[in-house]
Amino acid sequence: MDESTPRRFSRVLYDALNQQGYSAARIKYRSKAVSRYYTQYFGKPSDNGHAKSIVAGSFGEGISKMYSSDVDVMTSRCDIICVDERSHANGPYSLVLQNEYTHTFPGYVRLRADRPVRDQSCLFSQRCIHTGTHYLSSLITMQALYQDDPSDVINGPACTSNSIHTVEQTFGFKMNFLPKIDMDSVHALPFVSRNVLEKWIGRERHHEWPPRALQRTIFTMIGYVVPVGHKFSHNKDIEWRISYTTAEKKLVRSMNDVQVKLYVVLKFVQKDRLKPICQNFTSYMVKNLVFWVLEETPMRDLTPETLVDMILTAFRHLKQFLENKFLPCYMIPERNLFDGRMNERECVVLLGEVDKIIDEGYGFLLKHHRLSLSMQLTFSYPEIARGYEQWLVEIEDIVIMILGNEAIPDLAEKLSNGPMFFLEGILPLLVNTDMGLAIAKLLQLLGLDIDSILENAANIEQSALEFHSLFFNRLTDALS
C-alpha cells in the first residue's frame, strides 16, 4: 500500500465529517443553541427558582444532532451545597452538607449534616441517626423524586422518559408530531471540593491539552453529586456519585477540528458496532477514552492527514483498558468506569471486536454505512458534497431559529391536532414575517410545495396527510 494512502483517506474523512455538520465551529454553535432551547422547554426552574437545569451528554455538547440522540438534562438545586469544610459554604444556603470520603468507593462521597434538618429530615438515612450522624440518603432521595409516572424507567441516578411527554406536561397539550426521543433526567446537588480538583490539576502532563488556562478555569468550577451509590458498596444507600458535567462540556468545547472529529467517529463506532454486542459500553466511556487519548498526544500529531491514525490509536488505548479491566474516569482517575457496569465476559467480547477493528486498519471505516457514503460523495463529487453541507446548515439554522420563537407553543398546539391543523397552523405564518419567511425557506429546502396541496381541494385531507408525513420524515432525516 502506498504510504500516502492513509493520509489521503484521513483527509477525505475529515472533509466528509465537515460536510455532515461536524466541524468544531458547528458543534460549538449547536451546543449553545440546543442547550438554550432544551433548557427553555425541558428545564423549567422549580421550587421557587431554587433549581437550574443543564443539558448534558453528547446532545448538550453539540456532538449529536437534534434528532439523533437522547437528551440528558441535569437539574441542580441552588439552595443546597456540599463542601469539604463548612467554612467553604459562602451564601444563604438552606442546607449545607459536609463531604465524607472514608469508607466510600473512588468517585463517591457521603453527605453529612451537622444537625437535624426539619423539612428535609425524611430524606436522611434512619440507620445512622441513632449515632447522632445524619447522612442524606441517595436511595430515599430517588424514591421521593420519582414516584409519580409508572412509565418512567429508573437507570442509576437517571429517570428515562419520553422528552415529548415532558414538554406535553409543560404546555398541557399533545405534541405527537415530533420524533420520540428519550430524555434522561438527573437531579443533582452542587459539590465543591478542592481535594478532588487539586489532584486533577496537579497531575503530571507531557503535552499541550488541555491548555493550562482551561485547567485553571476548571479548577474554579463546581462539580455535582447525583443520587446513586456504588453497585458493590455496603453503604450505597448513602453514597452519592461525583460528577463534573460542566467541566467536561468545557473540555469538549476546547477541542479543535481534528480532536472533535476523533470524538465523533468513536461515537459512531460505539453506537453502531460496539454497543450492539455490549450494551453496557456507554458513550460516557467513549468520552473519557477520548480525553485520555488527547491528553497523551502532542498537538503536532493532530492534523487532518493523521485523523485515521488517531482513531486507531484510540482503539489501541481501549484495548489496553479492556485488558486491564480498568477505564479510569478522566476527572477522577481512581474511579474505574468499567466497575459495576461491565463484567469480565463483556470485556472479553468487546476486546475481540476492538482487535478486529485494529486488524482491519483504516478500512474498518468503510464498513460504517453513513461514513462510507459520505466519504464517497466527498471524494467523487466535492461540489455536490459542499452543497449538501450548506443545505444541512441552512435547515439546522432555521429549525433552531423557529424553536427559539415565542410563537412556537401556539403553533405547536395547532400542529399537534393532525394534518389539517398542521396546514391551518402554517398557512397564516406564510406572510412577510421573519417566522413566515423561515418556514417558507424550510419547506423549500425540504423539497415541499404547499401550493400543490391547496390546489387539490377535492382531496385536501389526503394531501395534507401526505404533506404532514413528508415534512417530519424529511426533517428528521436531515437532523439525525
Side-chain angles (χ1 to χ4, degrees):
M1 180 178 63
D2 184 343
E3 289 184 5
S4 66
T5 300
R7 297 180 66 81
R8 293 201 304 270
F9 189 94
S10 284
R11 185 71 213 203
V12 173
L13 174 61
Y14 177 92
D15 291 339
L17 289 166
N18 276 339
Q19 288 150 11
Q20 287 286 330
Y22 294 109
S23 68
R26 193 71 200 164
I27 284 169
K28 288 174 186 175
Y29 167 78
R30 187 182 298 126
S31 172
K32 293 178 181 179
V34 301
S35 293
R36 185 169 59 247
Y37 159 63
Y38 270 84
T39 300
Q40 176 183 353
Y41 290 117
F42 294 160
K44 292 201 310 178
S46 56
D47 297 329
N48 298 318
H50 291 318
K52 66 176 182 178
S53 293
I54 301 163
V55 185
S58 57
F59 189 87
E61 294 160 354
I63 296 294
S64 296
K65 294 184 183 177
M66 192 167 291
Y67 290 168
S68 68
S69 172
D70 296 343
V71 181
D72 299 323
V73 176
M74 185 177 73
T75 301
S76 171
R77 290 288 294 258
C78 301
D79 60 330
I80 299 174
I81 190 75
C82 309
V83 292
D84 288 346
E85 301 290 342
R86 289 188 63 84
S87 60
H88 297 165
N90 300 316
Y93 297 106
S94 64
L95 178 61
V96 176
L97 297 163
Q98 191 160 349
N99 307 324
E100 283 191 3
Y101 305 96
T102 56
H103 308 298
T104 62
F105 276 74
Y108 292 80
V109 66
R110 291 185 294 179
L111 306 176
R112 178 169 59 84
D114 285 346
R115 57 185 182 278
V117 183
R118 293 176 184 173
D119 58 334
Q120 290 119 342
S121 60
C122 61
L123 299 180
F124 284 78
S125 173
Q126 297 300 306
R127 67 183 175 90
C128 303
I129 285 181
H130 70 280
T131 66
T133 307
H134 303 269
Y135 288 114
L136 187 64
S137 170
S138 54
L139 177 63
I140 298 173
T141 299
M142 284 293 290
Q143 292 170 344
L145 286 170
Y146 304 115
Q147 56 184 347
D148 297 331
D149 194 334
S151 66
D152 291 342
V153 176
I154 305 301
N155 181 22
C159 175
T160 302
S161 59
N162 185 271
S163 62
I164 304 309
H165 176 62
T166 305
V167 179
E168 288 172 351
Q169 289 181 318
T170 301
F171 292 119
F173 52 81
K174 293 291 182 183
M175 300 184 76
N176 50 21
F177 57 90
L178 290 176
K180 304 303 181 186
I181 300 174
D182 284 339
M183 182 171 77
D184 285 345
S185 301
V186 177
H187 286 261
L189 301 176
F191 168 82
V192 178
S193 174
R194 291 182 65 88
N195 175 51
V196 174
L197 289 177
E198 279 176 353
K199 289 181 181 178
W200 181 80
I201 198 171
R203 74 170 178 247
E204 187 176 5
R205 293 175 171 89
H206 301 286
H207 303 296
E208 305 93 332
W209 193 91
R212 191 63 185 169
L214 178 57
Q215 292 179 41
R216 288 193 291 268
T217 297
I218 288 175
F219 182 69
T220 65
M221 296 175 68
I222 65 167
Y224 301 91
V225 288
V226 296
V228 65
H230 191 281
K231 185 177 181 179
F232 302 131
S233 172
H234 295 302
N235 295 313
K236 62 184 176 184
D237 61 317
I238 55 174
E239 279 185 354
W240 293 65
R241 190 168 73 208
I242 302 168
S243 169
Y244 281 97
T245 301
T246 48
E248 290 168 359
K249 285 182 77 170
K250 282 274 189 187
L251 288 166
V252 172
R253 284 188 181 177
S254 77
M255 292 180 186
N256 64 27
D257 264 309
V258 179
Q259 292 171 323
V260 82
K261 287 173 177 59
L262 168 67
Y263 187 11
V264 169
V265 172
L266 291 181
K267 273 193 60 65
F268 282 167
V269 178
Q270 178 264 342
K271 181 179 180 180
D272 298 335
R273 184 162 175 176
L274 301 182
K275 196 170 180 65
I277 65 170
C278 183
Q279 283 294 311
N280 290 321
F281 185 63
T282 65
S283 58
Y284 186 69
M285 294 175 184
V286 170
K287 177 164 65 176
N288 280 265
L289 170 65
V290 171
F291 288 159
W292 285 117
V293 172
L294 296 184
E295 181 174 298
E296 295 171 15
T297 303
M299 292 298 287
R300 65 177 180 273
D301 292 346
L302 292 164
T303 69
E305 289 74 23
T306 62
L307 177 57
V308 171
D309 288 339
M310 289 305 307
I311 294 167
L312 293 173
T313 295
F315 280 111
R316 285 188 282 271
H317 274 69
L318 179 56
K319 174 183 169 72
Q320 182 179 352
F321 291 139
L322 288 166
E323 288 174 339
N324 295 334
K325 301 178 182 60
F326 196 108
L327 172 56
C329 173
Y330 183 70
M331 295 300 299
I332 307 173
E334 299 84 6
R335 180 186 164 208
N336 179 10
L337 297 182
F338 290 157
D339 199 15
R341 292 300 301 263
M342 287 174 51
N343 58 38
E344 186 170 345
R345 178 191 160 278
E346 288 174 315
C347 285
V348 170
V349 170
L350 196 58
L351 180 58
E353 194 65 23
V354 170
D355 276 335
K356 289 180 185 177
I357 289 172
I358 294 171
D359 290 342
E360 290 166 11
Y362 71 90
F364 91 89
L365 292 164
L366 296 176
K367 295 183 177 181
H368 189 284
H369 181 67
R370 181 176 177 182
L371 280 177
S372 179
L373 285 179
S374 181
M375 291 176 70
Q376 289 177 42
L377 180 65
T378 300
F379 181 76
S380 302
Y381 307 99
E383 289 300 322
I384 295 176
R386 282 190 284 273
Y388 177 72
E389 177 186 6
Q390 185 58 36
W391 177 78
L392 284 178
V393 166
E394 286 191 71
I395 288 176
E396 191 170 48
D397 283 350
I398 291 172
V399 170
I400 287 171
M401 187 276 282
I402 290 173
L403 290 174
N405 193 288
E406 293 178 356
I408 199 65
D410 293 336
L411 176 60
E413 185 167 14
K414 293 176 181 176
L415 300 187
S416 67
N417 292 316
M420 286 302 295
F421 288 92
F422 178 78
L423 278 182
E424 291 174 12
I426 282 183
L427 287 174
L429 295 171
L430 296 181
V431 293
N432 192 23
T433 64
D434 288 343
M435 183 74 151
L437 291 173
I439 292 175
K441 180 64 175 177
L442 181 60
L443 295 177
Q444 178 190 353
L445 290 166
L446 295 174
L448 295 170
D449 181 10
I450 202 166
D451 291 336
S452 64
I453 297 176
L454 301 178
E455 291 169 1
N456 188 13
N459 196 11
I460 193 167
E461 286 197 25
Q462 180 61 31
S463 296
L465 179 64
E466 293 173 1
F467 182 86
H468 180 269
S469 176
L470 279 173
F471 177 82
F472 287 108
N473 286 341
R474 292 183 184 180
L475 187 61
T476 300
D477 286 344
L479 298 181
S480 63

